[in-house]
Amino acid sequence: MSIENLTQENLNRRTFLGGVFSAGAMVLAAQLLPEEAFADTNEYHGKAAASALRSSIYLGLEPDGTVYIVTHRSEMGTGIRTTLPMVAADEMEADFSKVKIEQGIGDKAYGDQNTDGSKSIRGFFTAFRESGAAARTMLVQAAAAQWKAPVTECKAQNHEVIHTPSGRKLGYGALASAAGKLPAPKPETLQLKPKSEWRFIGKDSKIADMADICSGKAVFGMDVQRPGMLYASVERPPVMGGSVQSFDDKETLKVKGVSQTASIDPFKPPYTFQPLGGVAVVANSTWAAFQGRKKLKVEWNNGANASHDSEAYKKELLETARKPGKVVRNIGDVDAAFGKGGKIVEAEYYVPLLAHATMEPPVAVAEFKDGKVEAWVPTQNPQAVQDTVAGALGIKPEDVTCHVTLLGGGFGRKSKPDYVAEAAILSKKTGKPIKLVWSREDDLRFDYYHAVAGMYHKAALDEKGKTTAWLHRSVFPSISSMNDANSMYGFDVEYGMGLNDMPFDIPNHRAENGPAKAHVRIGWLRSVANIYHVFSGLSFADELAHAANRDPLEYQLELIGPGRIIDFKSQGVANYWNYGESYDKFPFDTKRLRKVLEIAGERSGWGKRKPGNGWGLGIAASRSFTSYVASVVEVEVDKAGKIRIPRSWQVADVGMVINPDRVHSQFEGAAVMGASIALTGEISLSDGRVRQSNFHDYPVARMNQAPLQTDVHIVESSALPGGVGEPGVPPFVPAFANAVFAATGKRVRELPFSKHKLV
Amino acid sequence: MIKLKINGHDRTFDGDPDMPLLWYLRDEISMTGTKFGCGVGLCGACTVHRNGEPIRSCSTPMKELAGKNITTIEGLSPDGNHPLQKAWAQVNVPQCGYCQTGQIMQAAALLKKNHHPSDKEIDDAMSGNICRCGTYQRIRSAIKAAGKEMA
Ligand code: FES
Ligand code: FES
């Protein structure tokens, strides 16, 4: 994205910013037009982002020298609330201790605010740089005018402008008013700082909220309080698509603190971001609302999904995967190649539904007044909050103000604002500000689940053990079921995550997608379809290495083949998704993939120790969100089958790095989430009802199950910044499964590991 | 009427005696540093100290707290400068941060008794506290660093 034009903003903008700036402030508004429309990814990103093809970043300087930088992306643990302002402050030559970070409310003027798809830096690095550079340019001009000196004799440095010949100095604060009256520079005239002069970009920076987080002062959505606020908790239809037939709240209303109950209508298919419906209990504390809910008696209409059963569904997916599906990529002729004989290897893989289980369950505070809603929400997607709440109440999106709090985890769950609509509906019904709290049980039973998938792989090896043909079929209920109740197939976004972009150099390769219907709400979860595609693809690659009697690392490198830019168009992939990026700027470069694998091999001491007897290493690499990552996992399996990960290695080429420490932390965290997925992650249903309810039956990795140590190595790169939040998850899972095979000889083709006896 | 001390201050409570301390802290006296994660003692986000021992406030009803001294994250140190809080900042532990007050309270109880916990002792003390963002290895090193400072 680049700056379309820069304008001085006037008073009415200040209201928009929530009164951040005083009258004397220089407020710089960068109005931007994205170069690449996100049109083809609407379904994935929701309506809001697609309609917003303008973006703006606001940077203000007060006469007292305080710089305000508005972050329009949500903070859910990646550090983005700190990292983007660092970029602007660096270009501005600001003193970072004088920078105050303001969280932007939901507004289309910001452009895409959906903090999702690992694209905050990819999408806004340049925009924030240009914003800072424009401010610096104007400050230098203002100082030069004051000194009646040529601009070339003046330079900005650490919150001051210096007249180089005389050594005179003017502070940024003193220049604010004058600079604010200057016309904004044309974007093409902006001079960005050379890399050698960067002060913050590329250096570790502490997150802005550190002290507040560690002292309990940080405000998450769960912590918002409003005067007169009541608390609510909703009993939802246990089967997706069900509705309330009747309910009896006599006992509920006797619970001390409960003031009323209210029903919420079920969604009109497709489910989109609408609430699921149900009966709400409103009370003067969260506890009272929870207690009241236990006393509710509700009769449900269960609808079409009432017989849904995970075991039967699994069989269906795997059977479908045995049949020809829709071809989404084709190279050569796999059928002919299989017909030629050689060694044939085939395997079925399965990944169950997964829940996000953010540490902070969904929660929202909403206040309906005079036909308008004000909401305080831990959301990844404040514009979708505006649209969804507006849709639920029949008001205009502009009449919904969405304040974005800190998020206690997001992982994709909090870009779907059904919970905010619930709060708004209840506020309208009760006339009170409502805090709507999901219990952990609600969170696990009513999630937008990561899709369950059945996959089938078949390959042929020649006499030298080289893979000559590979068929990959994948069957999963698609995220597109969110917007299309009859959806049976996936779409480019899902295909482009490990199905039609497997980077292997094989003369005959076909990828297919078979039909499946959704019986629960399906949504994206950190790294999305990569989870099942990369798990099965890279586990199968390991199987092929063993079938060929070859070292898995060496074999993976051979499969990838020589360094090259993959030409998907010539391989029957008409619309390679490429994570919404232009292929020229972000091509799939197998050189980079090979490199992370090779480095991972070196750092982990690959091949030095003989695996077996309960010890082993596993390796896998993948490209996702335009970044290249290799994972190595070391496992120890004791005689009781208990698994420990003494160490894991994450080697990542994510292009240019802005805040290395936060990149490291994302890859450390991805290893832990990968461990959770592999070890115990499973949501399952019987009679259309989710069986799991809390961390005892949906365990996530604890300290004693997570890798004891994850060694993160970031490859030096000057490529454009790629994704960071998600790419560390996909390769970790097959690397872990491959390590278990190395240690025990057991090939786990169905997640989670906890279903299998490993020794 | 239940009398107790929270961060050194006298408090009285006359609501539902079965209400867990967590909701009293959060909803009634607006001390929101103690978090709700699971409500049933499985995640540790709600950890506080009762007479110096770590407890899960989500599963501790008010009726069990008469005469007790409760310390929450807000009362761990007056200026947010407990050795653990300093170590947390130094190692850049938090990601989203939601679990961290519970982690710090749990770790504070460990370090009070043992300034040099082994990896195994840290595992045993901390494995009841979930961090979905996966900050465990930094929690471990921050605990070791803070322990050294306290020794
Ligand atoms: S909220 Fe108390 S242990 Fe989870
Ligand atoms: S930092 Fe997010 S849950 Fe621990």
Side-chain angles (χ1 to χ4, degrees):
Chain A
M1 296 186 190
S2 61
I3 291 194
E4 179 71 8
N5 62 61
L6 289 161
T7 50
Q8 291 299 310
E9 290 291 270
N10 48 27
L11 270 167
N12 63 6
R13 255 2 214 169
R14 273 180 213 124
T15 346
F16 165 69
L17 288 167
V20 174
F21 305 113
S22 74
M26 163 198 177
V27 181
L28 181 73
Q31 301 197 318
L32 314 152
L33 281 178
E35 283 170 12
E36 298 100 23
F38 287 89
D40 57 336
T41 62
N42 289 358
E43 276 170 317
Y44 179 56
H45 295 113
K47 281 207 308 279
S51 63
L53 290 176
R54 278 188 341 142
S55 166
S56 354
I57 295 133
Y58 294 91
L59 191 159
L61 170 65
E62 289 284 335
D64 71 356
T66 308
V67 175
Y68 286 93
I69 302 178
V70 179
T71 312
H72 66 307
R73 314 287 291 180
S74 299
E75 183 56 82
M76 52 183 165
T78 63
I80 197 64
R81 202 172 116 78
T82 307
T83 302
L84 276 176
M86 269 167 64
V87 171
D90 199 334
E91 279 295 344
M92 188 184 174
E93 269 299 319
D95 171 351
F96 206 62
S97 69
K98 299 201 172 93
V99 172
K100 290 228 163 76
I101 299 172
E102 284 292 318
Q103 189 67 40
I105 60 169
D107 195 302
K108 291 185 172 47
Y110 287 125
D112 177 25
Q113 279 183 278
N114 187 9
T115 311
D116 216 326
S118 298
K119 60 184 160 46
S120 292
I121 293 289
R122 257 194 289 151
F124 294 94
F125 175 62
T126 306
F128 270 72
R129 282 186 80 185
E130 292 183 345
S131 224
R136 166 172 46 79
T137 307
M138 294 162 82
L139 287 159
V140 169
Q141 284 170 352
Q146 201 155 322
W147 291 321
K148 300 197 171 49
V151 168
T152 46
E153 287 180 359
C154 307
K155 78 173 212 251
Q157 199 177 3
N158 199 24
H159 236 75
E160 302 179 315
V161 180
I162 303 165
H163 182 238
T164 337
S166 68
R168 275 180 295 175
K169 289 176 178 175
L170 276 167
Y172 274 10
L175 290 166
S177 304
K181 293 189 187 88
L182 294 172
K186 293 226 169 4
E188 58 276 16
T189 66
L190 285 177
Q191 299 232 333
L192 298 175
K193 281 166 70 170
K195 196 174 169 182
S196 57
E197 286 176 22
W198 284 347
R199 289 158 57 222
F200 312 131
I201 303 173
K203 313 231 158 60
D204 292 344
S205 189
K206 274 205 193 317
I207 55 170
D209 302 295
M210 179 67 76
D212 287 348
I213 285 172
C214 295
S215 59
K217 291 193 194 87
V219 178
F220 295 88
M222 193 63 84
D223 305 329
V224 172
Q225 297 191 324
R226 299 289 304 161
M229 179 177 92
L230 292 178
Y231 300 79
S233 173
V234 179
E235 187 74 16
R236 298 174 187 82
V239 178
M240 203 274 277
S243 60
V244 178
Q245 193 177 74
S246 64
F247 71 95
D248 173 355
D249 61 4
K250 259 195 269 23
E251 295 302 311
T252 298
L253 293 172
K254 286 186 199 155
V255 172
K256 201 173 157 204
V258 170
S259 50
Q260 71 179 90
T261 62
S263 60
I264 298 178
D265 290 339
F267 64 82
K268 293 187 191 70
Y271 52 87
T272 61
F273 295 155
Q274 299 165 85
L276 286 166
V279 183
V281 177
V282 181
N284 63 4
S285 72
T286 315
W287 171 249
F290 284 175
Q291 292 311 102
R293 217 180 119 188
K294 286 192 192 148
K295 301 265 153 89
L296 268 180
K297 293 190 192 81
V298 192
E299 295 295 325
W300 304 102
N301 296 314
N302 289 321
N305 296 313
S307 61
H308 180 63
D309 176 90
S310 291
E311 280 68 40
Y313 191 70
K314 175 175 111 184
K315 259 182 76 192
E316 213 179 292
L317 293 182
L318 290 171
E319 270 164 25
T320 309
R322 288 275 177 178
K323 295 175 205 143
K326 188 166 124 185
V327 176
V328 298
R329 187 184 186 188
N330 188 52
I331 305 168
D333 185 340
V334 283
D335 299 317
F338 290 143
K340 284 197 197 117
K343 190 171 195 171
I344 300 289
V345 185
E346 55 181 337
E348 280 176 350
Y349 280 84
Y350 178 77
V351 176
L353 292 167
L354 298 168
H356 299 80
T358 54
M359 210 64 231
E360 173 197 48
V363 58
V365 174
E367 194 166 344
F368 177 85
K369 223 169 53 212
D370 307 327
K372 295 188 181 182
V373 171
E374 195 165 3
W376 293 262
V377 193
T379 178
Q380 293 172 243
N381 196 351
Q383 292 172 30
V385 167
Q386 293 181 283
D387 292 339
T388 304
V389 168
L393 299 189
I395 59 177
K396 293 205 281 297
E398 310 83 86
D399 289 335
V400 179
T401 304
C402 180
H403 304 274
V404 180
T405 65
L406 291 177
L407 285 68
F411 313 126
R413 172 62 183 96
K414 290 175 184 165
S415 38
K416 302 148 187 115
D418 55 332
Y419 54 102
V420 197
E422 290 177 338
I425 289 168
L426 293 172
S427 178
K428 188 176 177 189
K429 288 199 174 189
T430 58
K432 292 272 169 40
I434 292 287
K435 180 189 278 187
L436 186 283
V437 182
W438 284 44
S439 65
R440 178 60 60 198
E441 289 79 4
D442 296 336
D443 174 51
L444 295 178
R445 286 183 181 148
F446 303 107
D447 198 4
Y448 287 82
Y449 302 98
H450 165 80
V452 47
M455 286 144 297
Y456 171 74
H457 292 268
K458 181 176 178 182
L461 309 185
D462 68 15
E463 63 286 352
K464 290 203 196 77
K466 224 170 137 49
T467 301
T468 54
W470 185 328
L471 170 67
H472 177 184
R473 289 203 193 108
S474 175
V475 185
F476 52 87
S478 172
I479 289 169
S480 62
S481 61
M482 190 180 281
N483 295 304
D484 172 7
N486 300 314
S487 158
M488 292 298 282
Y489 286 93
F491 67 122
D492 290 337
V493 168
E494 290 159 323
Y495 301 158
M497 296 189 180
L499 180 59
N500 71 7
D501 65 347
M502 221 170 50
F504 299 150
D505 187 26
I506 303 168
N508 305 290
H509 170 59
R510 193 164 73 219
E512 298 175 4
N513 172 220
K517 200 164 161 48
H519 300 279
V520 294
R521 299 194 293 181
I522 301 295
W524 48 97
L525 179 153
R526 192 178 191 179
S527 86
V528 202
N530 285 297
I531 293 175
Y532 43 86
H533 288 144
V534 175
F535 162 64
S536 75
L538 273 296
S539 295
F540 192 66
D542 201 69
E543 292 203 52
L544 296 181
H546 287 284
N549 245 322
R550 297 271 304 279
D551 172 75
L553 167 57
E554 193 190 293
Y555 201 78
Q556 265 185 58
L557 287 166
E558 183 181 297
L559 280 170
I560 294 167
R564 68 197 179 282
I565 304 292
I566 299 179
D567 178 11
F568 289 106
K569 280 230 155 57
S570 71
Q571 302 172 356
V573 184
N575 295 307
Y576 176 50
W577 179 47
N578 202 32
Y579 298 88
E581 300 294 347
S582 94
Y583 203 69
D584 290 342
K585 281 191 183 162
F586 293 92
F588 196 136
D589 183 349
T590 54
K591 248 200 321 305
R592 294 173 74 185
L593 191 61
R594 291 184 63 92
K595 189 163 170 195
V596 290
L597 258 178
E598 283 160 354
I599 296 175
E602 283 161 27
R603 293 186 74 88
S604 63
W606 183 267
K608 295 227 169 80
R609 177 174 164 191
K610 202 171 139 18
N613 282 325
W615 180 91
L617 291 181
I619 190 163
S622 80
R623 170 193 187 260
S624 65
F625 305 89
T626 76
S627 293
Y628 302 78
V629 186
S631 302
V632 177
V633 179
E634 178 186 26
V635 302
E636 284 168 6
V637 185
D638 71 13
K639 299 231 155 35
K642 205 167 153 272
I643 303 172
R644 178 87 240 219
I645 308 171
R647 207 152 169 195
S648 76
W649 292 261
Q650 297 265 65
V651 176
D653 174 355
V654 299
M656 216 172 64
V657 166
I658 318 300
N659 190 349
D661 174 71
R662 289 299 87 185
V663 175
H664 277 252
S665 66
Q666 282 304 295
F667 282 93
E668 290 161 14
V672 178
M673 188 164 275
S676 292
I677 291 168
L679 285 168
T680 52
E682 179 178 30
I683 290 289
S684 59
L685 296 92
S686 29
D687 300 324
R689 291 159 172 82
V690 172
R691 295 172 188 146
Q692 291 74 19
S693 62
N694 209 314
F695 291 123
H696 63 292
D697 52 12
Y698 188 74
V700 296
R702 295 173 181 275
M703 187 183 263
N704 59 2
Q705 298 161 310
L708 193 62
Q709 179 71 33
T710 296
D711 170 287
V712 178
H713 177 78
I714 308 297
V715 177
E716 247 325 292
S717 170
S718 53
L720 288 171
V724 166
E726 296 170 89
V729 177
F732 187 92
V733 182
F736 192 3
N738 295 342
V740 166
F741 179 79
T744 66
K746 286 263 156 57
R747 176 65 61 188
V748 182
R749 299 190 183 90
E750 175 180 344
L751 294 182
F753 298 171
S754 56
K755 274 186 174 165
H756 310 278
K757 243 182 99 50
L758 295 177
V759 286
Chain B
M1 181 89 78
I2 293 161
K3 288 189 182 188
L4 72 165
K5 264 194 177 28
I6 293 180
N7 298 333
H9 298 288
D10 289 324
R11 298 271 181 179
T12 53
F13 173 78
D14 60 0
D16 179 356
D18 287 326
M19 182 198 265
L21 171 63
L22 173 69
W23 301 113
Y24 172 68
L25 291 171
R26 294 184 52 81
D27 293 354
E28 300 216 351
I29 60 172
S30 298
M31 291 177 63
T32 55
T34 305
K35 304 298 185 201
F36 167 57
C38 70
V40 290
L42 291 168
C43 78
C46 64
T47 304
V48 300
H49 296 175
R50 175 179 56 197
N51 295 350
E53 294 293 327
I55 56 161
R56 305 297 187 227
S57 64
C58 70
S59 326
T60 310
M62 291 303 287
K63 65 184 176 201
E64 287 176 16
L65 296 175
K68 302 287 196 244
N69 273 311
I70 301 296
T71 308
T72 71
I73 186 71
E74 289 90 348
L76 181 66
S77 81
D79 47 5
N81 258 340
H82 186 281
L84 278 165
Q85 289 165 317
K86 285 195 280 182
W88 242 243
Q90 206 188 341
V91 183
N92 292 323
V93 174
Q95 287 186 33
C96 81
Y98 192 78
C99 73
Q100 299 298 344
T101 50
Q103 305 276 6
I104 290 172
M105 292 308 285
Q106 185 70 25
L110 167 68
L111 287 190
K112 234 190 289 178
K113 295 194 178 139
N114 181 355
H115 293 333
H116 297 291
S118 65
D119 279 336
K120 170 84 171 61
E121 286 167 330
I122 294 176
D123 271 3
D124 290 347
M126 301 302 297
S127 288
N129 288 68
I130 293 173
C131 174
R132 184 63 162 150
C133 295
T135 63
Y136 298 124
Q137 78 183 49
R138 296 203 191 199
I139 290 175
R140 188 188 299 279
S141 36
I143 289 175
K144 289 182 180 170
K148 271 195 203 120
E149 196 193 312
M150 287 165 81

